[in-house]
């Protein structure tokens, strides 16, 4: 029992230690939660000594702040960025310049990201539209590609209608 006139301290070393431990545990849970920075990033940029930049896209459908952030980083490297959101059923007229060679394909097992190397003055294009599916539904489609030098403006044209899926004849 405390002495008369003496107040009990609310903050003690053991209590402070418990609070700190709880904060650390909560922070670790946040970092390891799905969708957190511990997951594969949507994209990665690797700068090379010759001034080129390799972009690896793990999520081709970047949107909002991610796409804006990537565009800013590429612009700082001297790379032009074109983002075209098209009406449903439209695409940009192609070619919009000399298309850069890949490797654009994912790994052989379908894992990993799409990769392209860009140099100062090159362009990266993102085109987003809704494509009408054979069943009448619409699916968001995003494409991206690189162009040597500055890219021509997007001239929207009607996209070809998707062909019905072929069947093998087996039932």
């Amino acid at each position: 029992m405390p002495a008369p006139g003496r107040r009990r301290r609310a903050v003690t070393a053991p209590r402070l230690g418990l609070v700190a431990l709880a904060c650390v545990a909560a922070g670790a849970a946040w970092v390891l939660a799905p969708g957190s920075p511990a997951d594969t990033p949507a994209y990665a940029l690797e700068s090379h000594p010759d001034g080129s930049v390799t972009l690896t896209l793990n999520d081709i459908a970047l949107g909002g702040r991610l796409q804006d952030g990537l565009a800013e980083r590429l612009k700082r490297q001297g790379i032009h960025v074109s983002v075209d959101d098209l009406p449903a059923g439209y695409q940009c007229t192609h070619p919009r310049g000399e298309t850069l060679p890949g490797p654009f394909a994912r790994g052989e097992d379908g894992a990993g990201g799409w990769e392209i190397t860009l140099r100062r003055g090159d362009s990266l294009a993102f085109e987003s539209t809704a494509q009408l599916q054979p069943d009448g539904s619409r699916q968001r489609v995003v494409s991206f590609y690189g162009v040597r030098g500055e890219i021509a403006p997007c001239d929207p044209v009607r996209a070809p209608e998707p062909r019905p899926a072929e069947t093998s004849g087996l039932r």
Side-chain angles (χ1 to χ4, degrees):
M1 193 161 154
R6 190 170 174 211
R7 294 174 56 174
R8 210 172 194 196
R9 289 179 32 177
V11 178
T12 63
R15 288 182 184 163
L16 191 57
L18 285 174
V19 170
L21 184 60
C23 289
V24 168
W30 179 80
V31 168
L32 299 175
S36 74
D39 287 343
T40 302
Y43 68 87
L45 284 177
E46 180 184 354
S47 296
H48 303 288
D50 67 357
S52 64
V53 177
T54 298
L55 167 64
T56 303
L57 273 176
N58 296 310
D59 180 2
I60 194 170
L62 293 176
R65 290 184 304 158
L66 282 175
Q67 196 172 56
D68 293 343
L70 173 59
E72 266 312 304
R73 290 181 67 188
L74 289 171
K75 287 176 185 176
R76 285 195 301 264
Q77 297 283 334
I79 297 166
H80 309 283
V81 179
S82 173
V83 178
D84 299 295
D85 290 314
L86 299 155
Y90 281 81
Q91 66 183 26
C92 295
T93 302
H94 289 249
R96 295 174 65 188
E98 180 188 342
T99 305
L100 292 172
F104 249 10
R106 294 185 126 182
E108 289 178 20
D109 60 355
W114 292 272
E115 195 174 274
I116 184 170
T117 299
L118 302 156
R119 301 188 186 300
R120 181 173 288 284
D122 287 344
S123 299
L124 181 70
F126 285 94
E127 294 178 14
S128 176
T129 187
Q131 187 178 59
L132 184 62
Q133 300 300 298
D135 67 358
S137 66
R138 294 190 185 272
Q139 178 181 357
R140 183 171 183 240
V141 178
V142 178
S143 62
F144 81 99
Y145 53 93
V147 170
R148 189 160 324 282
E150 201 159 342
I151 192 165
C154 178
D155 180 21
V157 295
R158 257 217 191 271
E161 293 293 321
R163 288 181 255 163
E166 293 183 20
T167 59
S168 65
L170 299 175
R171 298 201 190 274

